[in-house]
């Protein structure tokens, strides 16, 4: 999961779902309007990942973020 500030004031999200062996299952990107708060943007990315995991009915999932906070 990663959030990145886009030049027009929106945030972009990148989500990658992969198996334990590292092979890619799927990717998602999203853009949304948000404050300049990076913590909130990263939290929204985490929420999007959890919603995706629930849609796919996955269990035993490890979520990785690159946020420092």
């Amino acid at each position: 999961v990663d959030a990145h500030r886009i030049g027009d004031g929106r945030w972009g999200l990148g989500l990658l779902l992969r198996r334990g062996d590292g092979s890619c299952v799927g990717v998602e990107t999203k853009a949304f309007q948000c404050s300049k708060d990076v913590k909130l943007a990263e939290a929204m990315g985490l929420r999007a990942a959890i919603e995706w995991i629930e849609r796919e009915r996955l269990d035993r999932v490890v979520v990785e973020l690159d946020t420092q906070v």
Side-chain angles (χ1 to χ4, degrees):
V1 177
D2 192 25
H4 175 76
R5 188 120 167 104
I6 301 172
D8 65 1
R10 295 180 300 154
W11 286 90
L13 291 178
L15 309 167
L16 169 67
L17 181 60
R18 60 186 178 174
R19 292 183 182 87
D21 66 3
S23 61
C24 182
V25 174
V27 296
E28 267 189 33
T29 59
K30 299 175 180 258
F32 62 94
Q33 202 66 34
C34 182
S35 71
K36 294 181 180 179
D37 184 359
V38 68
K39 290 184 233 175
L40 179 57
E42 293 284 351
M44 291 182 76
L46 178 58
R47 180 180 180 179
I50 291 169
E51 289 170 351
W52 189 13
I53 290 164
E54 288 177 338
R55 280 194 312 272
E56 297 296 321
R57 296 186 174 149
L58 302 173
D59 58 2
R60 294 178 32 180
V61 175
V62 175
V63 178
E64 297 176 344
L65 295 95
D66 69 346
T67 182
Q68 299 279 322
V69 292

